[in-house]
Amino acid sequence: MTGQRQTRQRRQIFEVIERAEGPLSIAEIHEQSRRAVPNLGIATIYRTVKMLHEADEIHLVSLPDGETRYEKAGLGHHEHFRCRVCKQVFDLPDCPLAYLSGTTTKDGFLIEDHELTLYGRCAHCQ
Amino acid sequence: MTGQRQTRQRRQIFEVIERAEGPLSIAEIHEQSRRAVPNLGIATIYRTVKMLHEADEIHLVSLPDGETRYEKAGLGHHEHFRCRVCKQVFDLPDCPLAYLSGTTTKDGFLIEDHELTLYGRCAHCQ
DNA sequence: GTAGATGCAAACGCTTTGCCGCTTA
DNA sequence: TAAGCGGCAAAGCGTTTGCATCTAC
């Protein structure tokens, strides 16, 4: 936890992100945090998430359909899977593309990094 | 071109997207279309892009930092490369992941589709 | 006690909608 | 000529900011 002061709100927001199985949207973080801290305002979510993001304690994940989500940092490189049925986003531990970093394509693009999102059906929704 | 009527505005907007080398943002489409049709309003861009998107004549591409862009349909499966220096987005014809579709991960995720964005430096900016 | 955090509401920027005059077919 | 379309301005909506109050330290 970065930030100068520990507050109930910050602890709660961080805990919600910590415990998630995949990246969460601002609305999801708000909703889940409110269960423990009812009056928690949306501005506090934005401010805290921004702070955590700048302190590199959480990472931004943006899905190809434009949704912005956040997940805790330190998970190592991994990819995301979005279920087309239940709409949940899961983390996938393996990355078949690690070899890409540092290579140059035949068109002269130097690849430094990449982000991959897979779509389909999760085990539960098949 | 879908839509019931051919207008100067629609032709221009579609032409801008057609001629682009990579996906364009709404602002870029607006700016470039205005060169030929000066009074063209932003609402027309949004309405036309939405119409083209629904008619499946253009595709939505959303980058991991949350930017929404559009490019003409029918390009076949391909990936995107974003230059960290000049911020342009290019199309990359080859996809090292075509084999993924239809496979199931060991966690039981059935992969139907994927979207990959590469980051680095384009030939010009190295 | 005080700097910093929160909650509320106002401000902001991007996107969408309503309206009316204009244009395409 | 009439339904569709474009331009403008207002409305929406998610995000950010200002400010007074409250709280962690």
Side-chain angles (χ1 to χ4, degrees), chain A residues 1-52:
Chain A
M1 256 323 251
T2 306
Q4 319 204 358
R5 288 188 191 174
Q6 292 283 329
T7 63
R8 215 152 62 92
Q9 290 87 337
R10 291 186 173 177
R11 257 177 273 123
Q12 180 58 25
I13 292 167
F14 190 61
E15 207 177 298
V16 163
I17 298 171
E18 271 266 285
R19 286 211 277 243
E21 282 187 34
L24 301 175
S25 65
I26 292 287
E28 286 167 349
I29 297 168
H30 190 205
E31 205 177 306
Q32 290 180 37
S33 300
R34 258 172 178 285
R35 287 181 204 150
V37 188
N39 283 32
L40 214 172
I42 192 76
T44 300
I45 306 289
Y46 280 109
R47 281 189 280 235
T48 304
V49 162
K50 188 179 185 189
M51 183 196 82
L52 290 169

Side-chain angles (χ1 to χ4, degrees), chain A residues 50-109:
Chain A
K50 188 179 185 189
M51 183 196 82
L52 290 169
H53 184 226
E54 280 167 0
D56 226 48
E57 304 208 27
I58 62 179
H59 286 156
L60 185 153
V61 176
S62 132
L63 302 181
D65 61 3
E67 257 201 286
T68 300
R69 289 164 171 270
Y70 294 88
E71 71 182 348
K72 66 169 180 263
L75 293 171
H77 182 72
H78 65 279
E79 314 301 355
H80 294 110
F81 180 92
R82 168 159 217 164
C83 177
R84 287 208 161 106
V85 180
C86 67
K87 307 293 184 199
Q88 264 192 276
V89 179
F90 303 87
D91 288 341
L92 294 178
D94 304 317
C95 171
L97 292 171
Y99 72 90
L100 280 177
S101 290
T103 63
T104 303
T105 72
K106 63 176 184 292
D107 308 305
F109 293 107

Side-chain angles (χ1 to χ4, degrees), chain B residues 26-27 52 69 74-75 85 102 121:
Chain B
I26 292 288
L52 291 168
R69 288 163 172 271
L75 293 172
V85 181
R121 288 152 186 266

Side-chain angles (χ1 to χ4, degrees), chain B residues 71-103:
Chain B
E71 69 181 350
K72 65 169 180 267
L75 293 172
H77 181 73
H78 66 279
E79 313 302 354
H80 295 109
F81 180 92
R82 166 158 219 169
C83 177
R84 286 209 162 107
V85 181
C86 68
K87 307 294 184 197
Q88 264 193 276
V89 179
F90 303 88
D91 288 340
L92 294 178
D94 304 318
C95 172
L97 292 171
Y99 72 90
L100 280 177
S101 289
T103 62

Side-chain angles (χ1 to χ4, degrees), chain B residues 7-16 32-33 36-37:
Chain B
T7 63
R8 215 153 60 91
Q9 292 85 338
R10 290 187 175 181
R11 258 177 273 122
Q12 179 59 24
I13 291 167
F14 190 60
E15 207 177 298
V16 163
Q32 290 180 38
S33 301
V37 188

